[in-house]
Amino acid sequence: VQLQASGGGLVQAGGSLRLSCVVSGRPARNYVMGWFRQAPGKKREFVSATTKSFGTTYYSDFVKGRFTISRDNAKNTVYLQMDSLKPEDTGVYFCAADQGIIQSSIRVPDMYDYWGQGTLVTVSS
């Protein structure tokens, strides 16, 4: 499975970006999909995830109400719509996939088997 993330860029505080993660090699519908981010000098942290079926979504507290994760299994793509961006949202955003991850581990980066290369998001104040 290969993941290709895109959509990052430079945006002013309060602006919006939409990240995309294209899954290739296997159908995206077989995988739990997550978004993580890593700011300079910090650990990779959970942002959002969506389950394979029913599309149950999860968000970290610091993005809840501002970010929306969605998936289009027909296009093998997962999206992260980011609104009301803040300077502290700056970082490299990674998409990740796993076939067998359980709900209690969905926020843990080490539990995901597949990772994209990351896309840089910079929010200026």
Side-chain angles (χ1 to χ4, degrees), residues 3-125:
L3 308 179
Q4 180 72 41
S6 63
L10 173 63
V11 64
Q12 288 188 328
S16 298
L17 284 173
R18 188 175 81 155
L19 306 184
S20 299
C21 176
V22 178
V23 180
S24 60
R26 295 287 166 86
R29 65 178 181 271
N30 293 340
Y31 295 88
V32 171
M33 300 297 300
W35 284 98
F36 293 80
R37 71 186 186 191
Q38 189 165 17
K42 294 188 176 181
K43 291 183 179 180
R44 195 168 296 189
E45 61 182 0
F46 172 77
V47 175
S48 183
T50 177
T51 56
K52 288 184 278 187
S53 59
F54 304 114
T56 304
T57 57
Y58 302 83
Y59 297 95
S60 64
D61 288 342
F62 49 77
V63 305
K64 199 174 294 183
R66 300 187 297 122
F67 291 11
T68 305
I69 191 171
S70 61
R71 64 190 301 160
D72 186 339
N73 287 335
K75 295 183 178 180
N76 270 356
T77 302
V78 178
Y79 304 97
L80 185 68
Q81 177 67 41
M82 305 188 297
D83 298 318
S84 303
L85 282 162
K86 304 176 181 179
E88 51 264 42
D89 293 320
T90 294
V92 178
Y93 283 69
F94 299 88
C95 59
D98 195 89
Q99 206 165 15
I101 197 168
I102 60 176
Q103 182 178 338
S104 60
S105 298
I106 210 165
R107 291 175 169 81
V108 181
D110 289 347
M111 301 306 293
Y112 287 77
D113 284 340
Y114 305 101
W115 289 84
Q117 85 291 357
T119 184
L120 177 63
V121 172
T122 304
V123 184
S124 63
S125 56

